[in-house]
Amino acid sequence: MPLQNRVTPSGDIIADPHRGLFTGNRGIIHDPATKTLLNKRWASPAWITCVCEFRGWRRKVMGTRSWTELFFLDEATAFAAGHRPCFFCRRDDANRFRAAWEEGNGVANVLARDIDAVLHRERLEKGKKRLHPLPMPVEKLPDGAMVQAGAESFLVLQGRALEWTMAGYREVSNAIEDAMLLTPPSTLRALGAGYRTTLHPSAQNFPSPLAGEG
């Protein structure tokens, strides 16, 4: 049976056999004796996204009283849930993200804890995932942004919405309505400033809506 450590764009942690491209953590939120989650879903405001392989190190998932290994389909999913790149195992990506975050949010010389403080306000509301009004139409959102409509989550890529699943993305036949923003606004502004997310390969299975024009 898969462990309950797969993260959805809405920040929920579920059990699913698909691991995804990234790992990460929110501190220690599991019991190593049973490998089950505690009642809390975070133990630190530093919600980070890490690479699954680093320097050949091996960890026994949920096996020790250390950080709780969580897994994400891709970076867009992690961003939507409220995570940011790790400054240890993903230093280059983290520095690119910080530079874009500073540019998009009109600030300078921010530390990781400064970003974490803003993200913590943006990702939670009374202990649950905070949804935000769209600052622009869905098709105008930057690549890598994610929205929620009804009970489903959608990735925005090249002006179109792709439905998120634990196994990857799939095409949407109808226009989505009454969507709310899942990606924290400050991260959205970093995407708008040019940060490029690492997406699951399934996102590339669908041609741009502009393909063939000209």
Side-chain angles (χ1 to χ4, degrees):
M1 292 292 292
L3 298 174
Q4 185 184 355
N5 58 5
R6 275 58 168 171
V7 182
T8 71
S10 60
D12 293 329
I13 306 174
I14 65 174
D16 190 273
H18 297 93
R19 189 180 74 168
L21 302 182
F22 289 94
T23 186
N25 76 90
R26 306 173 183 177
I28 303 170
I29 57 173
H30 75 284
D31 178 355
T34 61
K35 293 190 176 183
T36 58
L37 293 186
L38 305 175
N39 289 332
K40 61 184 179 181
R41 290 297 179 265
W42 59 274
S44 166
W47 293 20
I48 61 175
T49 312
C50 303
V51 291
C52 290
E53 296 183 11
F54 184 67
R55 296 180 180 175
W57 294 354
R58 294 289 185 268
R59 291 178 58 87
K60 187 176 181 181
V61 176
M62 287 189 174
T64 64
R65 185 77 180 156
S66 181
W67 50 270
T68 302
E69 298 88 349
L70 304 175
F71 295 92
F72 311 85
L73 175 71
D74 60 8
E75 193 171 27
T77 304
F79 279 152
H83 290 244
R84 50 110 177 137
C86 173
F87 275 90
F88 181 62
C89 67
R90 299 182 61 203
R91 179 168 295 276
D92 289 346
D93 288 340
N95 283 326
R96 287 193 302 108
F97 177 75
R98 175 165 53 189
W101 198 91
E102 288 178 337
E103 180 179 346
N105 290 282
V107 294
N109 301 318
V110 299
L111 302 175
R113 64 173 177 265
D114 302 324
I115 297 175
D116 292 336
V118 173
L119 288 178
H120 207 57
R121 293 194 298 268
E122 294 179 335
R123 64 191 167 214
L124 295 174
E125 186 170 30
K126 296 181 180 179
K128 297 183 179 181
K129 174 64 175 175
R130 183 178 178 183
L131 301 177
H132 301 267
L134 291 181
M136 61 192 74
V138 169
E139 63 272 15
K140 299 294 185 181
L141 292 171
D143 288 355
M146 296 197 75
V147 301
Q148 181 171 307
E152 305 302 328
S153 301
F154 300 87
L155 168 74
V156 178
L157 182 62
Q158 297 181 335
R160 70 187 305 170
L162 301 175
E163 185 177 358
W164 180 94
T165 75
M166 286 300 301
Y169 297 101
R170 57 191 182 194
E171 196 164 16
V172 178
S173 57
N174 299 317
I176 61 175
E177 298 180 352
D178 301 322
M180 296 288 286
L181 181 66
L182 279 169
T183 307
S186 62
T187 297
L188 183 75
R189 290 189 284 271
L191 299 180
Y195 184 88
R196 297 186 63 181
T197 56
T198 300
L199 299 176
H200 189 266
S202 60
Q204 307 306 321
N205 291 340
F206 312 100
S208 166
L210 300 180
E213 293 187 5

